[in-house]
Amino acid sequence: MEIIVTDERDERFIEFCDSFGCYLEEPQVVLLLNDFKKIVGCASFKVYDSQSAEITTLFLNSRNQEKIAYKLLRQLEKIAIDYEFKSVVVSFDSREDILIEIFEKLDYEFVDDLLMKKEFKSLI
């Protein structure tokens, strides 16, 4: 498997998101997970505020959804740290979202009813 770093103009991202009925126009960092020349997952973030990035997409089309989600989210977090963000946030439409459990396992915590946040720990 290979992670491809790109942006929202990438045709592979547009096509993959379309298959889930979603299209995003805002500039963002996009990760595509390529498995034998087939996109099996994507994740992206945009600037939330001066200190935080917001995860805007996490789409998975594979049997190993949890493993792929972890791989993509960890890579997004590394990129956010490289951009010197102090945290990452993700919002949900409902507390019943099946992805909440994955974010909880990655140390995201609810900061209000439908918003989770992960603070990056400083080594200083």
Side-chain angles (χ1 to χ4, degrees), residues 26-73:
E26 298 173 15
Q28 48 193 273
V29 173
V30 172
L31 300 181
L32 300 172
L33 189 60
N34 188 17
D35 189 21
F36 299 106
K37 299 187 181 194
K38 180 182 177 195
I39 303 300
V40 296
C42 74
S44 65
F45 73 74
K46 65 179 182 177
V47 174
Y48 182 71
D49 60 31
S50 64
Q51 301 290 310
S52 305
E54 178 183 17
I55 295 173
T56 54
T57 59
L58 179 59
F59 296 130
L60 310 165
N61 189 13
S62 172
R63 286 184 220 123
N64 300 321
Q65 289 187 353
E66 194 166 315
K67 179 181 174 185
I68 289 171
Y70 291 144
K71 186 176 201 112
L72 289 169
L73 292 171

Side-chain angles (χ1 to χ4, degrees), residues 98 106 115 124:
I98 60 172
L106 291 171
L115 184 75
I124 300 174

Side-chain angles (χ1 to χ4, degrees), residues 66-106:
E66 194 166 315
K67 179 181 174 185
I68 289 171
Y70 291 144
K71 186 176 201 112
L72 289 169
L73 292 171
R74 289 285 191 210
Q75 188 63 37
L76 270 184
E77 291 172 358
K78 287 177 186 175
I79 293 170
I81 289 168
D82 288 345
Y83 280 116
E84 300 182 358
F85 287 111
K86 307 249 184 287
S87 64
V88 176
V89 298
V90 61
S91 61
F92 298 94
D93 294 330
S94 153
R95 281 281 190 137
E96 306 302 314
D97 194 304
I98 60 172
L99 294 175
I100 289 174
E101 185 177 327
I102 289 172
F103 283 96
E104 287 176 332
K105 287 180 181 177
L106 291 171

